[in-house]
Amino acid sequence: MMPGRLPMMDFKQAYDVELMCSTSKIRHQLWPLDEIDSKNGKFPCCLVWTPLPVVSWLAPFIGHLGICREDGVILDFSGSNFVNVDEFAFGATARYVQLDREKCCFPLNMSSHTCKQGYQHSEYGTAVTWDDALQSSVRHFEHKSYNLFTCNSHSFVANCLNRLCYGGSMDWNMLTVAALILLKGHWVDTMSIIRSFLPSTVVLCLGLVLVGWPFLVGLFSFSLLLVGWFLLGTYCLKTLLEI
């Protein structure tokens, strides 16, 4: 080896150390989030949910979903070629779950992925910050047609989580984001619970009084058809639902 030259192994080790330091630095530049402020509709890094008119009266587990930026501003896909910013469609937030940014993958390049789906994640679209991922999804859905059954607010949120590779997963879809908010979500207040379930309770009672048990059977069949549709579209006919 010529004097004054470092062996190739030393260069590689130095590069690996620098890369690890750089990735670690980026990962630890996550500034503290503000407190959740439900009165002003600010939910930093949260998924937020609110009931839909009419649809939620018949199936209270169905609702409208949004995702929030780091400053707490809500983004939600609520119409064709349109993503709401800081104006949650269909009413105030009733239920929310805050996500952990440490569970996201923010790669600078292919070698700095913290998830196991490096190539797939890069093909889908990566981001270097939480807000960057959300903005990419906003641009993507500004060219999408809204459809309650094939491309809705849950599709938008799933797209965001896939760009973040949240929890190391690239398999977020309408059903998994719905399960996340329903199983791990917190109610904003007591009034939110009443607002979510009172209309469906009134509809159920009126139906039983006026129609009887056939109404209950019809209501159950409607809910079963909805769940069946999204199961079919998610796991069998994968091109049917858009994400």
Side-chain angles (χ1 to χ4, degrees), residues 62 68 70 78 86:
I62 299 291
C68 303
E70 290 174 306
S78 56
D86 203 21

Side-chain angles (χ1 to χ4, degrees), residues 38-192:
S38 58
K39 291 184 179 179
N40 293 312
K42 303 298 182 185
F43 298 84
C45 295
C46 289
L47 302 189
V48 291
W49 180 93
T50 194
L52 282 169
V54 183
V55 179
S56 296
W57 301 352
L58 302 175
F61 56 88
I62 299 291
H64 185 69
L65 196 63
I67 188 168
C68 303
R69 299 188 319 213
E70 290 174 306
D71 61 1
V73 169
I74 301 173
L75 306 176
D76 63 296
F77 180 56
S78 56
S80 295
N81 312 316
F82 180 69
V83 177
N84 255 331
V85 179
D86 203 21
E87 190 176 345
F88 201 24
F90 307 111
T93 298
R95 199 172 175 84
Y96 70 92
V97 58
Q98 191 166 44
L99 304 182
D100 184 1
R101 290 173 297 170
E102 292 287 347
K103 294 182 179 180
C104 301
C105 177
F106 300 124
L108 297 177
N109 48 53
M110 279 294 294
S111 59
S112 60
H113 279 269
T114 56
C115 63
K116 296 180 180 179
Q117 297 95 341
Y119 181 76
Q120 183 186 359
H121 191 195
S122 295
E123 285 286 304
Y124 193 90
T126 61
V128 294
T129 66
W130 176 278
D131 287 352
D132 182 39
L134 268 57
Q135 188 57 40
S136 295
S137 292
V138 168
R139 288 194 294 267
H140 181 68
F141 273 78
E142 283 176 344
H143 306 283
K144 291 283 188 180
S145 296
Y146 184 91
N147 186 301
L148 182 63
F149 298 102
T150 59
C151 186
N152 55 37
S153 61
H154 291 65
S155 307
F156 172 68
V157 172
N159 186 278
C160 292
L161 295 186
N162 283 328
R163 289 183 191 276
L164 292 164
C165 199
Y166 186 74
S169 174
M170 291 283 299
D171 296 322
W172 292 99
N173 54 55
M174 292 187 192
L175 292 178
T176 52
V177 295
L180 179 61
I181 190 70
L182 289 175
L183 298 177
K184 294 189 176 182
H186 306 281
W187 293 104
V188 171
D189 51 30
T190 305
M191 192 62 203
S192 298

